Coordinates of all heavy atoms in Angstrom, one line a residue:
M1440 N 0.8 -1.2 0.0 CA 0.0 0.0 0.0 C 0.9 1.2 0.0 O 1.8 1.4 0.8 CB -0.9 -0.1 1.2 CG -2.1 0.8 1.2 SD -3.2 0.6 2.6 CE -3.4 -1.2 2.7
D1441 N 0.7 2.1 -0.9 CA 1.5 3.3 -1.0 C 1.0 4.4 -0.1 O -0.1 4.4 0.4 CB 1.6 3.8 -2.5 CG 0.3 4.3 -3.0 OD1 -0.7 4.1 -2.4 OD2 0.3 4.9 -4.1
H1442 N 1.9 5.4 0.1 CA 1.7 6.5 1.0 C 0.5 7.3 0.6 O -0.3 7.8 1.5 CB 3.0 7.4 1.1 CG 2.8 8.5 2.0 ND1 2.8 8.4 3.4 CD2 2.7 9.9 1.8 CE1 2.7 9.5 4.0 NE2 2.6 10.5 3.0
N1443 N 0.3 7.5 -0.7 CA -0.9 8.3 -1.2 C -2.2 7.7 -0.8 O -3.1 8.3 -0.4 CB -0.7 8.5 -2.7 CG -1.6 9.6 -3.2 OD1 -2.0 10.5 -2.5 ND2 -1.9 9.6 -4.5
T1444 N -2.3 6.4 -1.0 CA -3.5 5.6 -0.6 C -3.8 5.7 0.9 O -5.0 6.0 1.3 CB -3.4 4.1 -1.0 OG1 -3.1 4.0 -2.4 CG2 -4.6 3.4 -0.7
I1445 N -2.8 5.7 1.7 CA -2.9 5.8 3.1 C -3.4 7.2 3.5 O -4.4 7.3 4.3 CB -1.6 5.4 3.9 CG1 -1.3 4.0 3.7 CG2 -1.7 5.9 5.3 CD1 0.1 3.6 4.2
E1446 N -2.8 8.2 2.9 CA -3.2 9.6 3.2 C -4.7 9.9 2.8 O -5.4 10.6 3.5 CB -2.3 10.6 2.6 CG -0.9 10.6 3.3 CD -1.0 11.0 4.7 OE1 -1.8 11.9 5.1 OE2 -0.3 10.4 5.6
Q1447 N -5.1 9.3 1.7 CA -6.4 9.6 1.2 C -7.5 8.8 2.0 O -8.6 9.3 2.2 CB -6.6 9.1 -0.3 CG -5.9 10.0 -1.3 CD -5.9 9.5 -2.7 OE1 -6.4 8.3 -2.9 NE2 -5.5 10.3 -3.6
G1448 N -7.1 7.7 2.6 CA -8.1 6.9 3.3 C -8.0 7.1 4.8 O -8.8 6.5 5.6
K1449 N -7.1 8.0 5.3 CA -6.9 8.1 6.7 C -8.1 8.7 7.5 O -8.5 8.2 8.5 CB -5.7 9.0 7.0 CG -5.1 8.9 8.4 CD -3.9 9.8 8.6 CE -2.7 9.1 8.2 NZ -1.5 9.8 8.6
T1450 N -8.8 9.6 6.9 CA -9.9 10.2 7.5 C -11.1 9.2 7.7 O -11.7 9.1 8.8 CB -10.5 11.4 6.7 OG1 -9.4 12.4 6.6 CG2 -11.6 12.1 7.4
M1451 N -11.3 8.4 6.7 CA -12.4 7.4 6.7 C -12.0 6.3 7.7 O -12.9 5.8 8.4 CB -12.7 6.9 5.4 CG -13.6 7.7 4.5 SD -14.0 6.9 3.0 CE -12.5 7.1 2.0
A1452 N -10.7 6.0 7.8 CA -10.2 5.0 8.7 C -10.5 5.4 10.1 O -10.9 4.6 11.0 CB -8.8 4.7 8.4
I1453 N -10.2 6.7 10.4 CA -10.3 7.2 11.8 C -11.8 7.3 12.1 O -12.2 6.9 13.3 CB -9.6 8.5 12.0 CG1 -8.1 8.3 11.8 CG2 -9.9 9.1 13.3 CD1 -7.3 9.6 11.7
I1454 N -12.6 7.7 11.2 CA -14.1 7.8 11.5 C -14.7 6.5 11.8 O -15.6 6.4 12.6 CB -14.8 8.5 10.2 CG1 -14.5 10.0 10.2 CG2 -16.3 8.3 10.3 CD1 -15.0 10.6 8.9
S1455 N -14.1 5.4 11.1 CA -14.7 4.1 11.4 C -14.6 3.6 12.8 O -15.4 2.7 13.2 CB -14.1 3.1 10.4 OG -12.7 2.9 10.8
Y1456 N -13.7 4.2 13.6 CA -13.5 3.7 15.0 C -14.3 4.6 15.9 O -14.3 4.4 17.1 CB -12.0 3.8 15.4 CG -11.2 2.7 14.7 CD1 -10.4 3.1 13.6 CD2 -11.3 1.4 15.1 CE1 -9.6 2.1 13.0 CE2 -10.5 0.4 14.5 CZ -9.7 0.8 13.4 OH -9.0 -0.2 12.8
V1457 N -15.1 5.6 15.4 CA -15.9 6.4 16.3 C -17.3 5.9 16.3 O -18.1 6.2 15.5 CB -15.9 7.9 15.8 CG1 -16.8 8.8 16.7 CG2 -14.5 8.4 15.7
T1458 N -17.6 5.0 17.2 CA -18.8 4.2 17.4 C -19.2 3.4 16.2 O -18.6 3.5 15.1 CB -20.0 5.1 17.7 OG1 -20.4 5.9 16.6 CG2 -19.7 6.1 18.9
L1459 N -20.2 2.5 16.4 CA -20.6 1.7 15.3 C -21.3 2.5 14.2 O -21.2 2.1 13.0 CB -21.6 0.6 15.9 CG -22.1 -0.5 14.9 CD1 -20.8 -1.3 14.4 CD2 -23.0 -1.4 15.7
I1460 N -21.9 3.6 14.5 CA -22.5 4.5 13.5 C -21.3 5.1 12.6 O -21.5 5.2 11.4 CB -23.3 5.6 14.2 CG1 -24.5 4.9 14.8 CG2 -23.8 6.6 13.1 CD1 -25.3 5.9 15.7
G1461 N -20.2 5.4 13.2 CA -19.1 5.9 12.4 C -18.6 4.8 11.5 O -18.1 5.1 10.4
T1462 N -18.6 3.6 11.9 CA -18.2 2.5 11.1 C -19.1 2.4 9.9 O -18.6 2.2 8.7 CB -18.2 1.1 11.8 OG1 -17.4 1.3 13.0 CG2 -17.7 0.0 11.0
L1463 N -20.4 2.5 10.1 CA -21.3 2.4 9.0 C -21.2 3.6 8.0 O -21.2 3.5 6.8 CB -22.8 2.3 9.5 CG -23.1 1.0 10.3 CD1 -24.5 1.1 10.8 CD2 -23.0 -0.2 9.3
A1464 N -21.0 4.8 8.6 CA -20.8 6.0 7.8 C -19.5 5.9 6.9 O -19.6 6.2 5.7 CB -20.7 7.2 8.7
A1465 N -18.5 5.4 7.5 CA -17.2 5.2 6.8 C -17.4 4.2 5.7 O -16.8 4.3 4.6 CB -16.1 4.8 7.7
Y1466 N -18.2 3.1 6.0 CA -18.4 2.1 5.0 C -19.1 2.7 3.7 O -18.7 2.4 2.6 CB -19.2 1.0 5.6 CG -19.7 0.0 4.5 CD1 -18.8 -1.0 4.0 CD2 -21.0 0.0 4.1 CE1 -19.3 -1.9 3.1 CE2 -21.5 -0.9 3.2 CZ -20.6 -1.8 2.6 OH -21.0 -2.7 1.7
F1467 N -20.1 3.4 4.0 CA -20.9 4.0 2.9 C -20.1 5.1 2.1 O -20.3 5.3 0.9 CB -22.3 4.5 3.3 CG -23.2 3.4 3.7 CD1 -23.7 3.2 5.0 CD2 -23.7 2.5 2.7 CE1 -24.5 2.2 5.3 CE2 -24.5 1.5 3.0 CZ -25.0 1.3 4.3
M1468 N -19.3 5.8 2.8 CA -18.5 6.8 2.2 C -17.4 6.2 1.3 O -17.0 6.7 0.3 CB -17.8 7.7 3.2 CG -18.7 8.7 3.9 SD -18.0 9.7 5.3 CE -16.3 9.7 5.1
N1469 N -16.9 5.0 1.7 CA -15.8 4.3 1.0 C -16.3 3.4 -0.1 O -15.5 2.9 -0.9 CB -15.0 3.5 2.0 CG -13.7 3.0 1.4 OD1 -13.0 3.7 0.7 ND2 -13.4 1.7 1.7
R1470 N -17.6 3.2 -0.2 CA -18.2 2.3 -1.2 C -17.8 2.7 -2.6 O -17.4 1.9 -3.5 CB -19.7 2.2 -1.2 CG -20.1 1.1 -0.3 CD -21.5 0.7 -0.4 NE -22.4 1.8 -0.8 CZ -23.7 1.6 -0.8 NH1 -24.3 0.5 -0.5 NH2 -24.5 2.6 -1.2
N1471 N -17.8 4.0 -2.9 CA -17.5 4.5 -4.2 C -16.0 4.6 -4.5 O -15.5 4.4 -5.6 CB -18.1 5.8 -4.5 CG -19.6 5.7 -4.5 OD1 -20.2 4.7 -4.8 ND2 -20.3 6.8 -4.2
Q1472 N -15.2 5.0 -3.4 CA -13.8 5.3 -3.6 C -13.0 4.0 -3.6 O -11.9 3.9 -4.2 CB -13.3 6.2 -2.5 CG -13.9 7.6 -2.6 CD -13.5 8.5 -1.5 OE1 -12.9 8.1 -0.6 NE2 -13.9 9.7 -1.6
K1473 N -13.4 3.0 -2.8 CA -12.7 1.7 -2.7 C -11.2 1.9 -2.2 O -10.3 1.3 -2.8 CB -12.7 0.9 -4.0 CG -14.1 0.6 -4.5 CD -14.7 -0.5 -3.8 CE -16.0 -0.9 -4.5 NZ -16.9 -1.6 -3.7
N1474 N -11.0 2.7 -1.2 CA -9.7 2.9 -0.7 C -9.3 1.7 0.1 O -10.0 1.3 1.1 CB -9.7 4.2 0.1 CG -8.3 4.5 0.6 OD1 -7.7 3.9 1.5 ND2 -7.7 5.6 0.1
E1475 N -8.1 1.1 -0.2 CA -7.7 -0.1 0.5 C -7.4 0.1 1.9 O -7.7 -0.8 2.8 CB -6.4 -0.6 -0.3 CG -6.0 -2.0 0.1 CD -4.8 -2.4 -0.7 OE1 -4.4 -1.8 -1.7 OE2 -4.1 -3.4 -0.2
F1476 N -6.8 1.2 2.3 CA -6.5 1.5 3.7 C -7.8 1.7 4.5 O -7.9 1.1 5.6 CB -5.6 2.8 3.8 CG -5.1 3.1 5.1 CD1 -4.2 2.4 5.8 CD2 -5.7 4.2 5.8 CE1 -3.7 2.7 7.0 CE2 -5.3 4.6 7.1 CZ -4.3 3.8 7.7
A1477 N -8.7 2.4 4.0 CA -10.0 2.6 4.7 C -10.7 1.3 4.8 O -11.3 1.0 5.9 CB -10.8 3.7 4.0
T1478 N -10.7 0.5 3.8 CA -11.5 -0.8 3.8 C -10.9 -1.6 4.9 O -11.7 -2.3 5.6 CB -11.4 -1.4 2.5 OG1 -11.9 -0.6 1.5 CG2 -12.1 -2.8 2.4
F1479 N -9.6 -1.7 5.0 CA -8.9 -2.5 6.1 C -9.4 -2.1 7.4 O -9.8 -2.9 8.3 CB -7.4 -2.4 6.0 CG -6.7 -3.1 7.1 CD1 -6.5 -4.5 7.1 CD2 -6.2 -2.4 8.2 CE1 -5.9 -5.1 8.2 CE2 -5.6 -3.0 9.2 CZ -5.4 -4.3 9.2
H1480 N -9.3 -0.7 7.7 CA -9.7 -0.2 9.0 C -11.2 -0.3 9.3 O -11.6 -0.5 10.5 CB -9.1 1.2 9.2 CG -7.7 1.1 9.6 ND1 -7.2 0.7 10.8 CD2 -6.6 1.4 8.8 CE1 -5.9 0.8 10.8 NE2 -5.5 1.2 9.6
I1481 N -12.0 -0.2 8.3 CA -13.4 -0.4 8.5 C -13.7 -1.8 9.0 O -14.5 -2.0 9.9 CB -14.2 0.0 7.2 CG1 -14.2 1.5 7.0 CG2 -15.7 -0.5 7.4 CD1 -14.6 1.9 5.6
G1482 N -13.1 -2.8 8.4 CA -13.2 -4.2 8.8 C -12.7 -4.4 10.2 O -13.4 -5.1 11.0
Q1483 N -11.6 -3.7 10.6 CA -11.1 -3.9 11.9 C -12.0 -3.2 13.0 O -12.2 -3.8 14.0 CB -9.7 -3.3 12.0 CG -8.6 -4.1 11.2 CD -8.4 -5.4 11.7 OE1 -8.0 -5.7 12.9 NE2 -8.6 -6.4 10.9
A1484 N -12.6 -2.1 12.6 CA -13.5 -1.4 13.5 C -14.7 -2.2 13.7 O -15.2 -2.3 14.8 CB -13.8 0.0 12.9
L1485 N -15.2 -2.8 12.7 CA -16.4 -3.7 12.8 C -16.1 -4.8 13.7 O -17.0 -5.1 14.6 CB -16.8 -4.2 11.4 CG -18.2 -4.9 11.4 CD1 -19.3 -3.9 11.8 CD2 -18.5 -5.3 9.9
R1486 N -15.0 -5.4 13.6 CA -14.6 -6.5 14.5 C -14.6 -6.0 16.0 O -15.0 -6.7 16.9 CB -13.3 -7.1 14.1 CG -13.3 -7.9 12.9 CD -11.9 -8.4 12.5 NE -11.9 -9.2 11.3 CZ -11.8 -8.6 10.0 NH1 -11.7 -7.3 9.9 NH2 -11.8 -9.4 9.0
A1487 N -14.0 -4.8 16.2 CA -13.9 -4.3 17.5 C -15.2 -4.0 18.1 O -15.5 -4.4 19.3 CB -13.1 -2.9 17.5
W1488 N -16.2 -3.4 17.4 CA -17.5 -3.1 18.0 C -18.3 -4.3 18.2 O -19.0 -4.4 19.2 CB -18.2 -2.1 17.1 CG -17.5 -0.7 17.1 CD1 -17.0 0.0 16.0 CD2 -17.2 0.1 18.2 NE1 -16.4 1.1 16.5 CE2 -16.5 1.2 17.8 CE3 -17.4 -0.1 19.6 CZ2 -16.0 2.2 18.7 CZ3 -16.9 0.9 20.4 CH2 -16.3 2.0 20.0
I1489 N -18.2 -5.3 17.3 CA -19.0 -6.5 17.5 C -18.5 -7.3 18.7 O -19.2 -7.8 19.5 CB -19.0 -7.4 16.2 CG1 -19.8 -6.7 15.1 CG2 -19.5 -8.8 16.5 CD1 -19.8 -7.4 13.8
T1490 N -17.1 -7.3 18.8 CA -16.5 -7.9 20.0 C -17.0 -7.2 21.3 O -17.3 -7.9 22.3 CB -15.0 -7.9 19.9 OG1 -14.6 -8.6 18.7 CG2 -14.3 -8.5 21.1
G1491 N -17.0 -5.9 21.2 CA -17.5 -5.1 22.4 C -18.9 -5.5 22.8 O -19.2 -5.6 24.0
I1492 N -19.8 -5.6 21.8 CA -21.2 -6.0 22.1 C -21.3 -7.4 22.7 O -22.0 -7.6 23.7 CB -22.0 -5.8 20.8 CG1 -22.1 -4.4 20.4 CG2 -23.4 -6.5 21.0 CD1 -22.6 -4.2 19.0
I1493 N -20.6 -8.3 22.1 CA -20.6 -9.7 22.6 C -20.1 -9.8 24.0 O -20.7 -10.4 24.9 CB -19.9 -10.6 21.6 CG1 -20.7 -10.7 20.3 CG2 -19.7 -12.0 22.2 CD1 -20.0 -11.4 19.2
V1494 N -18.9 -9.2 24.2 CA -18.3 -9.3 25.5 C -19.1 -8.5 26.6 O -19.2 -9.0 27.7 CB -16.8 -8.7 25.5 CG1 -16.2 -8.5 26.9 CG2 -15.9 -9.6 24.7
S1495 N -19.7 -7.4 26.3 CA -20.6 -6.7 27.2 C -21.8 -7.6 27.6 O -22.2 -7.6 28.8 CB -21.1 -5.4 26.6 OG -20.1 -4.5 26.4
F1496 N -22.4 -8.3 26.6 CA -23.5 -9.2 26.9 C -23.1 -10.3 27.8 O -23.8 -10.6 28.8 CB -24.1 -9.7 25.6 CG -25.2 -10.6 25.8 CD1 -26.5 -10.1 26.2 CD2 -25.1 -12.0 25.6 CE1 -27.6 -11.0 26.4 CE2 -26.2 -12.8 25.8 CZ -27.4 -12.4 26.2
I1497 N -21.9 -10.9 27.5 CA -21.5 -12.0 28.4 C -21.1 -11.5 29.8 O -21.4 -12.2 30.8 CB -20.3 -12.7 27.7 CG1 -20.8 -13.4 26.4 CG2 -19.6 -13.7 28.6 CD1 -19.6 -14.0 25.5
A1498 N -20.5 -10.3 29.8 CA -20.1 -9.8 31.2 C -21.4 -9.5 32.0 O -21.4 -9.7 33.2 CB -19.3 -8.5 31.0
A1499 N -22.4 -9.0 31.3 CA -23.7 -8.7 32.1 C -24.3 -10.0 32.6 O -24.8 -10.0 33.7 CB -24.6 -8.0 31.1
L1500 N -24.2 -11.0 31.8 CA -24.7 -12.3 32.3 C -23.9 -12.8 33.4 O -24.5 -13.4 34.5 CB -24.8 -13.4 31.2 CG -25.8 -13.2 30.1 CD1 -25.6 -14.2 29.0 CD2 -27.2 -13.2 30.7
L1501 N -22.6 -12.8 33.3 CA -21.7 -13.2 34.4 C -21.9 -12.4 35.7 O -21.9 -13.0 36.8 CB -20.3 -13.2 34.0 CG -19.8 -14.2 32.9 CD1 -18.4 -13.9 32.5 CD2 -19.9 -15.6 33.5
I1502 N -22.1 -11.1 35.6 CA -22.3 -10.3 36.8 C -23.7 -10.7 37.4 O -23.8 -10.8 38.6 CB -22.3 -8.8 36.4 CG1 -20.9 -8.4 36.0 CG2 -22.8 -8.0 37.5 CD1 -20.8 -7.0 35.3
M1503 N -24.7 -10.9 36.6 CA -26.0 -11.3 37.1 C -26.0 -12.6 37.8 O -26.6 -12.7 38.9 CB -27.0 -11.4 35.9 CG -28.4 -11.4 36.3 SD -29.5 -11.1 34.9 CE -29.1 -12.4 33.8
F1504 N -25.2 -13.6 37.3 CA -25.2 -14.9 37.9 C -24.2 -15.1 39.0 O -24.4 -15.8 40.0 CB -25.0 -16.0 36.8 CG -26.2 -16.2 35.9 CD1 -26.1 -16.0 34.6 CD2 -27.4 -16.6 36.4 CE1 -27.2 -16.1 33.7 CE2 -28.5 -16.7 35.6 CZ -28.4 -16.5 34.3
T1505 N -23.1 -14.4 38.9 CA -22.0 -14.6 39.9 C -22.0 -13.4 41.0 O -21.6 -13.6 42.1 CB -20.6 -14.6 39.3 OG1 -20.3 -13.4 38.7 CG2 -20.5 -15.8 38.3
G1506 N -22.5 -12.3 40.6 CA -22.5 -11.1 41.5 C -21.1 -10.5 41.6 O -20.9 -9.6 42.4
I1507 N -20.2 -10.9 40.7 CA -18.8 -10.2 40.8 C -18.8 -9.0 40.0 O -18.8 -9.0 38.7 CB -17.8 -11.2 40.2 CG1 -17.8 -12.5 41.0 CG2 -16.4 -10.6 40.3 CD1 -16.9 -13.6 40.5
S1508 N -19.0 -7.8 40.6 CA -19.1 -6.6 39.9 C -17.8 -6.1 39.2 O -17.9 -5.3 38.3 CB -19.6 -5.5 40.9 OG -18.6 -5.3 41.9
A1509 N -16.7 -6.7 39.5 CA -15.4 -6.3 38.9 C -15.5 -6.8 37.4 O -14.7 -6.3 36.6 CB -14.3 -7.0 39.6
L1510 N -16.4 -7.7 37.1 CA -16.4 -8.1 35.7 C -17.0 -7.0 34.8 O -17.0 -7.1 33.6 CB -17.3 -9.4 35.6 CG -16.7 -10.6 36.2 CD1 -17.7 -11.7 36.2 CD2 -15.4 -11.0 35.5
S1511 N -17.6 -6.0 35.4 CA -18.1 -4.9 34.6 C -17.0 -4.2 33.8 O -17.4 -3.5 32.7 CB -18.8 -3.9 35.5 OG -17.9 -3.2 36.4
Y1512 N -15.8 -4.3 34.1 CA -14.7 -3.7 33.4 C -14.6 -4.4 32.0 O -14.0 -3.8 31.1 CB -13.4 -3.7 34.1 CG -13.4 -2.8 35.3 CD1 -13.3 -3.4 36.6 CD2 -13.5 -1.5 35.2 CE1 -13.4 -2.5 37.7 CE2 -13.5 -0.6 36.2 CZ -13.4 -1.1 37.5 OH -13.5 -0.3 38.6
L1513 N -15.1 -5.6 31.8 CA -15.0 -6.2 30.5 C -15.8 -5.5 29.5 O -15.6 -5.7 28.3 CB -15.5 -7.7 30.7 CG -14.6 -8.7 31.4 CD1 -15.3 -10.0 31.6 CD2 -13.3 -8.8 30.7
Q1514 N -16.8 -4.7 29.9 CA -17.6 -4.0 29.0 C -16.9 -2.9 28.2 O -17.4 -2.4 27.2 CB -18.8 -3.4 29.8 CG -19.7 -4.5 30.4 CD -20.9 -3.9 31.2 OE1 -20.9 -2.7 31.5 NE2 -21.8 -4.7 31.5
Y1515 N -15.6 -2.6 28.6 CA -14.8 -1.6 27.9 C -14.0 -2.3 26.8 O -13.2 -1.6 26.2 CB -14.0 -0.8 28.9 CG -14.8 0.0 29.8 CD1 -14.9 -0.3 31.2 CD2 -15.5 1.1 29.4 CE1 -15.6 0.4 32.1 CE2 -16.2 1.9 30.2 CZ -16.3 1.5 31.6 OH -17.0 2.3 32.4
A1516 N -14.1 -3.5 26.6 CA -13.2 -4.3 25.7 C -13.3 -3.7 24.2 O -12.3 -3.5 23.6 CB -13.6 -5.8 25.7
G1517 N -14.5 -3.5 23.8 CA -14.7 -3.0 22.4 C -14.1 -1.5 22.3 O -13.5 -1.2 21.2
L1518 N -14.3 -0.7 23.3 CA -13.7 0.6 23.3 C -12.2 0.6 23.2 O -11.6 1.3 22.5 CB -14.2 1.4 24.5 CG -13.7 2.9 24.6 CD1 -14.2 3.7 23.4 CD2 -14.2 3.5 25.9
I1519 N -11.6 -0.3 24.0 CA -10.2 -0.4 24.0 C -9.6 -0.9 22.7 O -8.7 -0.3 22.2 CB -9.7 -1.3 25.2 CG1 -10.1 -0.7 26.5 CG2 -8.2 -1.6 25.1 CD1 -9.9 -1.6 27.7
L1520 N -10.3 -1.8 22.1 CA -9.9 -2.3 20.8 C -10.0 -1.2 19.7 O -9.2 -1.1 18.8 CB -10.7 -3.5 20.4 CG -10.4 -4.8 21.2 CD1 -11.4 -5.9 20.8 CD2 -8.9 -5.3 21.0
A1521 N -11.1 -0.4 19.8 CA -11.3 0.7 18.9 C -10.3 1.7 19.1 O -9.8 2.3 18.1 CB -12.7 1.2 19.1
I1522 N -9.9 2.0 20.3 CA -8.8 3.0 20.5 C -7.5 2.5 19.9 O -6.8 3.3 19.3 CB -8.7 3.3 22.0 CG1 -9.9 4.1 22.5 CG2 -7.4 4.1 22.3 CD1 -10.0 4.3 24.0
I1523 N -7.2 1.3 20.1 CA -5.9 0.7 19.5 C -6.0 0.8 18.0 O -5.0 1.3 17.4 CB -5.7 -0.7 20.0 CG1 -5.4 -0.8 21.5 CG2 -4.6 -1.4 19.2 CD1 -5.5 -2.2 22.0
G1524 N -7.1 0.5 17.4 CA -7.2 0.6 16.0 C -7.2 2.0 15.4 O -6.6 2.3 14.4
A1525 N -7.8 3.0 16.2 CA -7.8 4.4 15.8 C -6.3 4.9 15.8 O -5.9 5.7 14.9 CB -8.6 5.2 16.7
I1526 N -5.6 4.5 16.8 CA -4.2 5.0 16.9 C -3.4 4.4 15.7 O -2.6 5.1 15.1 CB -3.6 4.5 18.3 CG1 -4.2 5.3 19.4 CG2 -2.0 4.7 18.2 CD1 -3.8 4.8 20.8
N1527 N -3.6 3.2 15.4 CA -3.0 2.6 14.2 C -3.4 3.4 12.9 O -2.6 3.6 12.1 CB -3.3 1.1 14.0 CG -2.6 0.2 15.0 OD1 -1.6 0.6 15.6 ND2 -3.2 -0.9 15.3
A1528 N -4.7 3.7 12.8 CA -5.1 4.4 11.6 C -4.5 5.8 11.6 O -4.1 6.3 10.5 CB -6.7 4.5 11.6
M1529 N -4.4 6.5 12.7 CA -3.8 7.9 12.7 C -2.3 7.8 12.3 O -1.8 8.7 11.7 CB -3.9 8.5 14.1 CG -5.3 9.0 14.4 SD -5.4 9.9 16.0 CE -6.0 8.6 17.0
N1530 N -1.7 6.7 12.7 CA -0.2 6.6 12.4 C 0.0 6.0 11.0 O 1.2 5.8 10.6 CB 0.5 5.8 13.4 CG 0.5 6.5 14.8 OD1 0.6 7.7 14.9 ND2 0.4 5.7 15.9
G1531 N -1.1 5.7 10.3 CA -0.9 5.2 8.9 C -0.4 3.7 8.9 O 0.1 3.3 7.9
K1532 N -0.7 3.0 10.0 CA -0.3 1.6 10.0 C -1.4 0.7 9.6 O -2.6 0.9 9.8 CB 0.1 1.2 11.5 CG 1.4 2.0 12.0 CD 1.7 1.5 13.4 CE 2.8 2.3 14.0 NZ 3.1 1.9 15.4
V1533 N -1.0 -0.4 9.0 CA -1.9 -1.5 8.6 C -1.7 -2.7 9.5 O -1.1 -3.7 9.1 CB -1.8 -1.9 7.1 CG1 -2.8 -2.9 6.7 CG2 -1.9 -0.7 6.2
E1534 N -2.1 -2.6 10.8 CA -1.9 -3.6 11.8 C -3.3 -4.1 12.3 O -4.1 -3.2 12.5 CB -1.0 -3.1 13.0 CG 0.4 -2.8 12.6 CD 1.2 -2.4 13.8 OE1 0.7 -2.5 14.9 OE2 2.3 -1.8 13.6
K1535 N -3.4 -5.3 12.5 CA -4.7 -5.9 13.0 C -4.7 -5.6 14.5 O -3.8 -5.6 15.2 CB -4.7 -7.4 12.7 CG -4.8 -7.6 11.1 CD -4.9 -9.1 10.9 CE -5.0 -9.3 9.4 NZ -5.1 -10.7 9.0
I1536 N -6.0 -5.5 14.9 CA -6.2 -5.2 16.4 C -6.0 -6.5 17.1 O -6.1 -7.6 16.5 CB -7.6 -4.7 16.7 CG1 -8.7 -5.5 16.1 CG2 -7.7 -3.2 16.2 CD1 -10.1 -5.1 16.5
P1537 N -5.6 -6.5 18.3 CA -5.3 -7.7 19.1 C -6.5 -8.6 19.3 O -7.6 -8.2 19.3 CB -4.8 -7.2 20.5 CG -4.5 -5.8 20.3 CD -5.3 -5.3 19.1
L1538 N -6.3 -9.9 19.4 CA -7.2 -10.9 19.7 C -8.3 -11.2 18.6 O -8.5 -12.4 18.3 CB -8.0 -10.6 21.0 CG -7.1 -10.4 22.2 CD1 -8.0 -10.0 23.4 CD2 -6.4 -11.6 22.6
V1539 N -8.9 -10.2 18.0 CA -10.0 -10.4 17.0 C -9.6 -10.0 15.6 O -10.5 -10.1 14.7 CB -11.3 -9.8 17.5 CG1 -11.8 -10.5 18.8 CG2 -11.1 -8.4 17.7
G1540 N -8.5 -9.4 15.4 CA -8.1 -8.9 14.1 C -8.1 -9.9 13.0 O -8.2 -9.5 11.8
N1541 N -7.9 -11.2 13.3 CA -7.8 -12.2 12.3 C -9.1 -12.9 12.0 O -9.2 -13.7 11.0 CB -6.8 -13.3 12.6 CG -5.3 -12.7 12.6 OD1 -5.0 -11.9 11.8 ND2 -4.5 -13.2 13.5
I1542 N -10.1 -12.6 12.8 CA -11.4 -13.3 12.6 C -12.1 -12.7 11.4 O -12.1 -11.6 11.1 CB -12.3 -13.1 13.8 CG1 -11.6 -13.7 15.1 CG2 -13.7 -13.6 13.6 CD1 -12.4 -13.4 16.3
G1543 N -12.7 -13.6 10.6 CA -13.5 -13.3 9.5 C -12.8 -13.2 8.2 O -12.1 -12.6 7.7

């Protein structure tokens, strides 16, 4: 991937990590342009937000059944993955997010 492609797709890549709505907005903005850098980060952002939703649901169930309130910190997993991905996008890196970057 060349430097020009990265610079052109950087804004959409960063937007994709700003909530799930930002991911959808970046997806629709990128449909016509087909920027490779933005496409990569949109996929990574989608993985981060879906992971966050799933882990939050599981954490809520575990808290409900076990009563261990410290498990509520697991609900920040999607946000942490999105922050890591956004930092990579800002720096122009094509690196997968930890744990779930290879899924799909």
Side-chain angles (χ1 to χ4, degrees):
M1440 199 173 315
D1441 64 348
H1442 182 70
N1443 197 21
T1444 304
I1445 291 172
E1446 287 301 317
Q1447 288 176 351
K1449 196 179 273 191
T1450 302
M1451 282 186 282
I1453 294 169
I1454 288 172
S1455 69
Y1456 290 105
V1457 181
T1458 71
L1459 189 57
I1460 294 171
T1462 304
L1463 293 174
Y1466 171 76
F1467 287 115
M1468 287 173 22
N1469 191 44
R1470 268 196 331 189
N1471 296 334
Q1472 295 176 352
K1473 302 281 186 201
N1474 184 289
E1475 188 179 345
F1476 183 73
T1478 302
F1479 173 79
H1480 281 286
I1481 290 167
Q1483 293 295 301
L1485 189 60
R1486 287 175 182 88
W1488 294 121
I1489 289 174
T1490 301
I1492 292 168
I1493 292 169
V1494 170
S1495 293
F1496 180 73
I1497 292 170
L1500 288 176
L1501 287 173
I1502 291 168
M1503 195 168 59
F1504 289 119
T1505 65
I1507 302 171
S1508 61
L1510 294 173
S1511 65
Y1512 291 113
L1513 290 175
Q1514 296 177 348
Y1515 295 110
L1518 179 64
I1519 292 168
L1520 292 174
I1522 290 171
I1523 292 169
I1526 291 170
N1527 286 338
M1529 281 187 263
N1530 292 328
K1532 295 180 181 177
V1533 182
E1534 291 183 15
K1535 296 181 178 181
I1536 56 175
L1538 304 175
V1539 294
N1541 291 325
I1542 295 175

